[in-house]
Amino acid sequence: KSCKTPYKIYRRMKKLRAQVEKDTESGDWSDVIESWKEWNALAKGVSVYESEGVKGLCNSFVEGGKTMSEWREGVIWCSKAIALGDDQGDFIELKGDLYRKLGDFQEAVNCYTEAMNKNPNDHDIRQKLSQAKRQKKVAERKDYYKILGIDRDASVRQIKKAFRRLAMKWHPDKHSEDKDTATKMYADISEAYEILKDEKKRGMYDRGEDLDGQQHGGHNPFGRGFNPFGGNQHFQGGQQ
């Protein structure tokens, strides 16, 4: 009887491995994850099998995780895989993949940098590191579409309309009690319009490319003398 239980466990794990291979091939990642979790429960105390399960879960959450909570759980399993000491560079890279999915680009950069140190000739990791750095920069910059309150596929006409409306709302002369805030808002609105109305600059912005030297704060997007309030008053570059 004492030998029967281990044998049953072995047979179940054999079936689980076959099921994992089948579900991986078909892309049924939720089933793959559940199978690896059951595998880990059965393999508890047997290091070689536990190791296989931990690594399998790390990879499965990268490939098949669809929600923030799943990606966070994946980070935990990848950390456990790294702690095993085998193929650390591979699992550090996978952990970086999960941080990118979570939008934590600084942690992704840290992981890819560490992975590069372990595998300096790995082109894929180098490319991921470059992409994560770009994503970090994009995430930290101003969201011009949000500033103008428009969708990313907005037409030039829609962009111009949004600017006119917001320029009238936030022109500093209409906010004597909080002119500093209005001035900053107006400058951001003008900057957003200047980039998004220009096809080349907008393309660079959408691709996450460097816009240094492309922006000119204080420019009046409608040309000299345009006044979003109408009437006979004129201003240039936000100055009336």
Side-chain angles (χ1 to χ4, degrees):
K1 188 175 180 179
S2 60
C3 294
K4 190 175 181 181
T5 300
Y7 178 67
K8 284 185 175 180
I9 291 174
Y10 169 76
R11 286 185 61 188
R12 179 57 186 158
M13 291 177 74
K14 188 175 180 180
K15 287 182 179 180
L16 284 171
R17 182 182 277 116
Q19 190 64 45
V20 163
E21 291 175 359
K22 179 182 176 182
D23 291 336
T24 297
E25 190 174 337
S26 62
D28 296 330
W29 289 104
S30 59
D31 289 339
V32 173
I33 289 170
E34 288 307 309
S35 291
W36 277 128
K37 286 184 175 181
E38 184 180 348
W39 172 284
N40 268 6
L42 293 170
K44 194 169 184 179
V46 184
S47 60
V48 64
Y49 291 136
E50 275 190 297
S51 173
E52 185 177 353
V54 168
K55 292 176 181 179
L57 279 166
C58 170
N59 183 71
S60 298
F61 277 110
V62 172
E63 294 293 337
K66 295 178 181 178
T67 65
M68 298 288 280
S69 61
E70 288 178 339
W71 296 330
R72 291 191 189 99
E73 187 175 353
V75 167
I76 294 171
W77 287 108
C78 287
S79 296
K80 291 181 178 180
I82 293 166
L84 293 171
D86 303 322
D87 305 316
Q88 280 188 324
D90 293 341
F91 295 105
I92 294 170
E93 178 187 355
L94 290 174
K95 188 176 179 181
D97 293 346
L98 287 165
Y99 276 126
R100 280 180 71 188
K101 292 174 184 287
L102 287 164
D104 192 338
F105 301 118
Q106 182 58 63
E107 285 296 337
V109 168
N110 293 343
C111 286
Y112 293 142
T113 300
E114 187 177 353
M116 274 297 302
N117 290 335
K118 294 182 179 296
N119 300 297
N121 297 319
D122 192 310
H123 174 74
D124 289 340
I125 298 176
R126 189 180 302 276
Q127 189 174 41
K128 288 180 180 181
L129 176 58
S130 177
Q131 291 169 344
K133 286 180 177 179
R134 180 186 296 178
Q135 288 176 301
K136 179 176 179 290
K137 187 171 184 178
V138 169
E140 291 172 346
R141 72 184 180 178
K142 296 175 184 176
D143 187 336
Y144 292 143
Y145 292 99
K146 186 175 181 180
I147 288 171
L148 293 182
I150 56 176
D151 293 330
R152 296 188 72 83
D153 61 352
S155 66
V156 173
R157 183 178 180 181
Q158 290 172 319
I159 293 168
K160 185 172 183 177
K161 182 179 179 181
F163 174 81
R164 287 179 181 271
R165 176 177 56 82
L166 292 170
M168 286 190 288
K169 178 180 179 180
W170 288 105
H171 190 274
D173 286 355
K174 293 189 70 176
H175 297 270
S176 57
E177 293 183 358
D178 194 4
K179 202 161 188 173
D180 289 344
T181 298
T183 298
K184 184 181 184 306
M185 288 293 298
Y186 188 85
D188 285 346
I189 292 162
S190 297
E191 181 181 315
Y193 178 78
E194 183 182 359
I195 297 300
L196 297 184
K197 74 180 178 65
D198 185 290
E199 185 178 354
K200 180 181 177 182
K201 293 177 184 177
R202 184 179 182 180
M204 293 174 66
Y205 175 80
D206 287 345
R207 291 189 297 272
E209 296 175 8
D210 195 352
L211 281 165
D212 290 346
Q214 297 288 326
Q215 301 175 39
H216 306 282
H219 174 68
N220 177 5
F222 295 110
R224 188 177 185 85
F226 174 81
N227 179 5
F229 304 111
N232 297 320
Q233 294 176 311
H234 299 279
F235 68 92
Q236 183 176 6
Q239 298 295 322
Q240 198 170 29

